[in-house]
Amino acid sequence: MAGTMIIDGQRVGFDKEKNILDVIRKAGIDLPTFCYHSELSIYGACRMCMVEDERGRTMAACSTPPRDGMVVKTNTPKLQKYRRMVLELILSNHDRDCIVCEKNGRCKLQELAARFSIKNIRFGPLCKQLPVDESSASIVRNPNKCIMCGDCVRMCEEVQGIGVLGFAYRGSKIKVTTAFERPIAEVECVNCGQCAAVCPTGALVVKNETSKVWDVLNDENKRVVAQIAPAVRVALGEEFGLKPGEIVTGKIVAALRKLGFDEIYDTGMAADLTVMEESREFMGKLEKEENLPLFTSCCPAWVKHVEDKYPQLLKNLSTCKSPQQIFGALIKEHYKKIDEAQGKETVVVSIMPCTAKKYEAARPEYRNNGIPDVDVVITTQELALMIKQAGIVFNELEPESLDMPFGLASGAGLIFGVTGGVAEAVIRRCLKEKNPGALKEISFSGVRGMEGIKEAAINIDGREIKVAVVHGLGNASKLIRSILAGEKRYDFVEVMACPGGCIGGAGQPIPQSSLVKTQRAKGLYDVDRSSQIKRSEENPIIMALYSGLLSEKRYLLHRYLHHQK
């Protein structure tokens, strides 16, 4: 319903805004909140967004719909006093070790305490110190920094459909915890890290493993090899004031060389290998009409979700390893004899947008004779931290090129970083038509876009292939239920756990607006558009690998690329 409101004496029109808060922000007023996220349900717990009407009544802006002719004030003395009181109460029971906190400088509570000039805390703590949970391979949970905003609970339940976090107890004893207060590694957490992405404080943070990387970089007996995931190149610049979606691949390479990395490669090359094998596997299943639909397997949070909730679908999951693990296995084999001759050890460091990649690299099946294929995984956020620690002025770096032979990726391999990218890359491989017109037709087929569940019908060799693309595990569960109930039938399904795909991974810089993921996606599609190599099979590195390995070491190719049964 359209109308106008009077906000702090200013007339503001509204149309599709669902609450007063959206209208206030439309008016250019930054009303503070802790518990409001547009993609989550309205919770109204923090009370920081209270406004006052012409009669002096207060109301929560996030949960009050706008009405035509409504008059509100956002910054009266009563509201200022109220907000300071709320902040004092939160801070009184908060672990205030801000200087050594992972969220120092990026904490919403810290930001608002400074904004409202909170100098003294008049109230004492109500709860005793609780143990920090570091059991997860991906995230650290510190309940002493939790402000009960419920963001993590709603993200885990509503968007991801997992629900491993919830409120327990009442009154002053209330806390956010897991079932029976078990360590997070012992519940059905999929390590997606989306809870940490919405947490406004340091209660949930990505596990920091930069110290491991510094250790190997300073060891002369180690050859340190970096692989850069596609989504990192369109997000890292945000940490240095650049626009979302700006492509900074060359600057990343230059920064990594300054940090001391010996070789710097592109995970997109391994994504091309995934396309080759996944498309071969798909066409084989299609021909035999068995275990369809084929589900993609490059998202480790999705794979764990299947293992936990839908074990009957494991036979439908692609046997291909993720590009990260393919790359690690290839590099370790590539440098095996060179290491023996030089008395060195190759260490693979993955730079990923995803927290679940930390968990994936630690899985026992990704070890060869006890040696992990990928040694350390750091996120985009962690790489930004290392660059800052080294004093590197990122924006002034001259772009440098990736190393060969594993620094060349096709456009198909690079769009893996956005929802729909894997499906599009596989379709490009399966289609016999390879002209530019065919590529454009695929892009308009329905696999692109930010809708939670997308469907497309592609004609391959005279047969209509039904494709589904889904991101967010809540959407994935919804799709699976419709498949199992016989309501939907697909041949190929791409699933990414994080909303938006890897560009929205929890290891990425926290988006400052709802448009950020769209801008990052556009950045990856721009890279694809300007790439001379559009399809995975046209990548000369892939052609060379296949010509050598298929003729001489077929058993090695299978170990590199597929899960062992």
Side-chain angles (χ1 to χ4, degrees), residues 194-208:
Q194 288 298 314
C195 55
V198 296
C199 179
T201 67
L204 284 156
V205 296
V206 177
K207 181 167 278 189
N208 188 326

Side-chain angles (χ1 to χ4, degrees), residues 506-519:
Q508 298 276 69
I510 305 302
Q512 299 303 306
S513 79
S514 58
L515 294 174
V516 167
K517 291 174 188 176
T518 302
Q519 291 167 320

Side-chain angles (χ1 to χ4, degrees), residues 232-262:
V232 175
R233 72 202 66 203
V234 292
L236 181 67
E238 295 166 39
E239 290 282 349
F240 301 96
L242 301 178
K243 293 179 181 178
E246 188 164 337
I247 303 155
V248 292
T249 315
K251 287 183 180 292
I252 294 173
V253 175
L256 291 173
R257 289 217 174 94
K258 283 183 176 291
L259 290 173
F261 283 85
D262 297 297

